[in-house]
Amino acid sequence: MLTSLARYWRTVRHLRPGQVVHRVVFRMARPAVDHRPAPSLRPSLRAAWLPPAENEQSLFGQTRVRLLGLEGDIDDGGWDDSAKMKLWRYNLHYFDDLTGANAAGRAPWHTELMNRWVRDNPPALGTGWEPYPTSLRIVNWVKWWVAGGDLPASCVESLAIQARWLTRRLERHLLGNHLFANAKALLFAGAAFDGPEAASWITRGTSILVTEIPEQILPDGGQFERSPMYHTLALEDVLDLRNLALAAASSGDFRLEAVGAMCAARVEPMRRWMRLMAHPDADVSFFNDTAMGIAPSPAVLEDYAMRLGYPPSAPAVDGVTLLADSGYARLENANAVVIVDVGPVGPDYLPAHAHADTLSCEFSFRGQRVLVNSGTSEYGDGPERHRQRGTSAHNTVVIDGIDSSEVWSGFRVGRRARPMAVRLARAGTIGIAAAHDGYRHLPGSLVHRRSWELDRASFSIEDTLSGVPVSAEARWHVHPDVAVGAVSPDGKSVSLQLPNGRELTLRVEGARLNVEPATWHPRFGECLPTRCVVARFGGAVVRTRVDWSA
């Protein structure tokens, strides 16, 4: 009981007072549903709207869907099937397939499905009326209509009811990407409809976004939850809002001008951040809650930005680049890319998507991912979710079997690792060093220090521990396409065979190696078998070198 209370206090003490107040208000409130007739639509908005980012196809029949890697049929389980996990049900209510690949060819299915949603989901009842899925559905229905799709009369009426309901259920207790999505939806609804009520939605959404955009988009361009996946979602939001503002202005509606300008100023820093945090295969790296297939890919977002008039992105350059505000760095040369985490787990008041991955890293060699964090295959509160958030699922050091940050439940963090002493390597060297205090509460006030260095023939890591742990190990999760050889007789090296036949060698000093079974989770619902090379410390310092000089 005392341990649980202490952990709970270490978690909630970081919340903003307003979050606590709004949580009580949100739970206690019982707002009425407003069934007044919908305002008239503004068809002029459709003239200048540009095609948005394209999602993966998720509708494969009139009622058959594939979401998060799992198939389902609305005829079998309905819209709120308790046999499906909550995130799957959320996704069912988003209507992302309205902007899916080749969506126009499925227009009759979409029209009937939107009509059916209105019939089957009475206002304020069920998962579909929670604020987040309501927000994403409003945006997708408006995108469908403004791109020329048929929005049935029942859906026009429902869209207005949804917007009114959302104004009474804003997620000010959660903040972050949820509140951003709420505000974005109000702007989309307000721009789509005419009249004073629609104007009030724009005013409400704008008042939120003028605060949240500078709060959530850091000066280096990163989204403040420090997840590459949520960053790409945030970039899509910013591009959508810019698109909407331009389309509205072309029809003489300048009410979105302020938000559009704020978004326009952040597109380039956000594109740069996305590019620096991507591997040479042009997809996301796996830090904090990240998976492929949830957000549009970086390539799709690049195409969207160029449709909006932005120039092609410049490629990343050799050397070391520090994203100081979000706490990541990229080391790159002609052979390799290394992406390292030297930042906090997230904003103190909102670490919901944090993993205990401080000082972890990922490594690609000539376009092939070699070392990867384990990714994210599920949300919820089960043991697999806990394992994937834990330190041992990442390429960093685990001390005494304890997580560097106290991740617990599905989205909570108690004690947090704080990065410190971040510094670039000496001139002429591609390297960086940092430390964190996530183990300082252990006997001996342990601190983990790590440095990374990249040269033409190798990638080197040095781990130093102050204090004497009971046990410590550096873990290196290998991509499934890379074959791991047997550990050498002296326990100091192992070969890594790439798909193209090229062989790398991982060697250690100050430790002995072991190879364990592991899994990689590049998408929700996906579990790929792989191997983890474990270096068990024999002292306070371990040096690891991945060599390709032979």
Side-chain angles (χ1 to χ4, degrees):
M1 174 74 74
L2 291 175
T3 300
S4 296
L5 286 173
R7 182 179 64 182
Y8 196 77
W9 167 245
R10 290 192 294 269
T11 302
V12 301
R13 72 187 186 89
H14 296 283
L15 295 177
R16 291 179 170 179
Q19 286 178 277
V20 178
V21 172
H22 285 297
R23 181 173 293 275
V24 173
V25 171
F26 189 87
R27 288 182 178 275
M28 297 290 290
R30 296 293 182 268
V33 176
D34 188 339
H35 289 278
R36 284 177 296 157
S40 58
L41 289 171
R42 292 173 52 92
S44 58
L45 184 67
R46 305 167 97 172
W49 174 257
L50 295 171
E54 187 177 82
N55 288 299
E56 293 185 353
Q57 181 179 347
S58 55
L59 184 64
F60 293 90
Q62 180 64 68
T63 59
R64 185 167 57 87
V65 296
R66 184 165 66 235
L67 303 165
L68 308 179
L70 302 173
E71 292 200 7
D73 197 300
I74 298 169
D75 281 343
D76 295 335
W79 294 91
D80 224 349
D81 185 359
S82 60
K84 296 288 195 300
M85 61 181 175
K86 185 66 172 283
L87 185 62
W88 194 95
R89 286 179 277 150
Y90 259 42
N91 275 260
L92 181 61
H93 292 273
Y94 294 166
F95 280 79
D96 278 344
D97 196 71
L98 292 174
T99 57
N102 303 310
R106 299 186 294 282
W109 291 352
H110 288 138
T111 302
E112 174 52 32
L113 205 57
M114 287 189 285
N115 266 320
R116 178 169 176 171
W117 188 91
V118 174
R119 293 195 304 268
D120 293 351
N121 292 273
L125 297 178
T127 298
W129 285 88
E130 292 186 28
Y132 192 69
T134 297
S135 298
L136 271 62
R137 184 175 55 255
I138 287 172
V139 170
N140 282 328
W141 284 18
V142 172
K143 283 184 180 180
W144 170 258
W145 171 76
V146 79
D150 178 33
L151 196 62
S154 66
C155 296
V156 175
E157 293 299 318
S158 176
L159 193 59
I161 294 170
Q162 291 176 56
R164 294 170 187 143
W165 176 253
L166 183 60
T167 62
R168 295 164 169 82
R169 303 299 284 167
L170 297 172
E171 294 172 287
R172 295 186 183 276
H173 58 301
L174 295 179
L175 300 176
N177 66 298
H178 277 243
L179 185 60
F180 199 110
N182 301 162
K184 176 185 175 183
L186 291 179
L187 261 65
F188 266 74
F193 286 105
D194 208 348
E197 183 180 27
S200 73
W201 300 336
I202 291 177
T203 299
R204 179 75 69 90
T206 299
S207 69
I208 294 169
L209 289 175
V210 295
T211 299
E212 293 302 317
I213 289 173
E215 170 78 6
Q216 296 194 31
I217 309 304
L218 301 172
D220 65 11
Q223 199 267 354
F224 77 155
E225 293 185 70
R226 293 164 172 88
S227 150
M229 179 179 78
Y230 282 95
H231 175 86
T232 52
L233 288 169
L235 177 53
E236 181 186 20
D237 287 339
V238 166
L239 293 171
D240 280 347
L241 288 166
R242 179 62 176 162
N243 195 357
L244 186 71
L246 291 172
S250 72
S251 66
D253 180 1
F254 298 98
R255 294 172 298 174
L256 281 70
E257 195 170 36
V259 168
M262 293 181 76
C263 290
R266 285 160 175 82
V267 169
E268 284 303 297
M270 294 181 77
R271 291 172 75 198
R272 176 177 180 267
W273 195 99
M274 179 177 68
R275 184 174 67 252
L276 291 169
M277 292 297 293
H279 280 270
D281 62 13
D283 218 327
V284 292
S285 51
F286 290 86
F287 296 91
N288 291 321
D289 274 342
T290 297
M292 299 174 182
I294 298 297
S297 70
V300 167
L301 291 173
E302 282 292 307
D303 288 344
Y304 188 12
M306 287 190 284
R307 284 197 297 278
L308 290 172
Y310 293 92
S313 287
V317 297
D318 288 0
V320 57
T321 304
L322 176 63
L323 295 163
D325 302 293
S326 49
Y328 289 104
R330 181 186 182 94
L331 285 61
E332 180 167 6
N333 64 18
N335 288 313
V337 168
V338 180
I339 304 171
V340 306
D341 180 353
V342 293
V345 296
D348 269 342
Y349 66 88
L350 187 63
H353 296 292
H355 288 203
D357 61 357
T358 307
L359 304 193
S360 66
C361 61
E362 296 200 328
F363 161 60
S364 280
F365 178 77
R366 295 187 180 174
Q368 170 63 52
R369 297 190 192 216
V370 179
L371 300 178
V372 291
N373 292 316
S374 71
T376 304
S377 67
E378 62 181 64
Y379 281 169
D381 191 20
E384 180 60 16
R385 167 68 171 162
H386 297 167
R387 187 195 69 78
Q388 290 175 18
R389 295 182 78 203
T391 303
S392 64
H394 301 86
N395 296 318
T396 187
V397 172
V398 183
I399 296 178
D400 294 350
I402 297 171
D403 293 329
S404 57
S405 289
E406 193 179 17
V407 290
W408 65 285
S409 187
F411 301 94
R412 293 178 177 174
V413 184
R415 187 182 290 110
R416 296 103 195 264
R418 304 288 182 180
M420 53 190 181
V422 178
R423 57 181 176 80
L424 299 180
R426 62 188 182 279
T429 302
I430 302 175
I432 192 170
H436 79 81
D437 65 356
Y439 293 113
R440 186 163 273 172
H441 63 285
L442 297 177
S445 298
L446 285 157
V447 171
H448 173 208
R449 292 180 171 83
R450 169 171 275 191
S451 63
W452 299 261
E453 189 168 318
L454 180 65
D455 60 36
R456 291 182 179 274
S458 67
F459 160 47
S460 303
I461 310 98
E462 181 173 289
D463 290 302
T464 303
L465 305 180
S466 66
V468 183
V470 174
S471 66
E473 58 185 34
R475 300 180 65 84
W476 303 108
H477 296 263
V478 181
H479 189 277
D481 290 343
V482 177
V484 181
V487 177
S488 63
D490 64 358
K492 300 295 185 181
S493 67
V494 66
S495 66
L496 305 175
Q497 191 81 30
L498 274 57
N500 64 4
R502 184 67 185 261
E503 185 175 288
L504 312 182
T505 302
L506 187 152
R507 295 187 174 89
V508 294
E509 298 175 15
R512 289 188 65 84
L513 296 179
N514 184 41
V515 177
E516 300 177 355
T519 52
W520 189 48
H521 310 275
R523 291 172 174 264
F524 275 86
E526 201 164 73
C527 178
L528 303 180
T530 185
R531 311 290 280 175
C532 179
V533 179
V534 182
R536 292 193 168 87
F537 280 58
V541 180
V542 170
R543 296 179 180 89
T544 305
R545 178 184 176 96
V546 180
D547 196 311
W548 51 86
S549 57

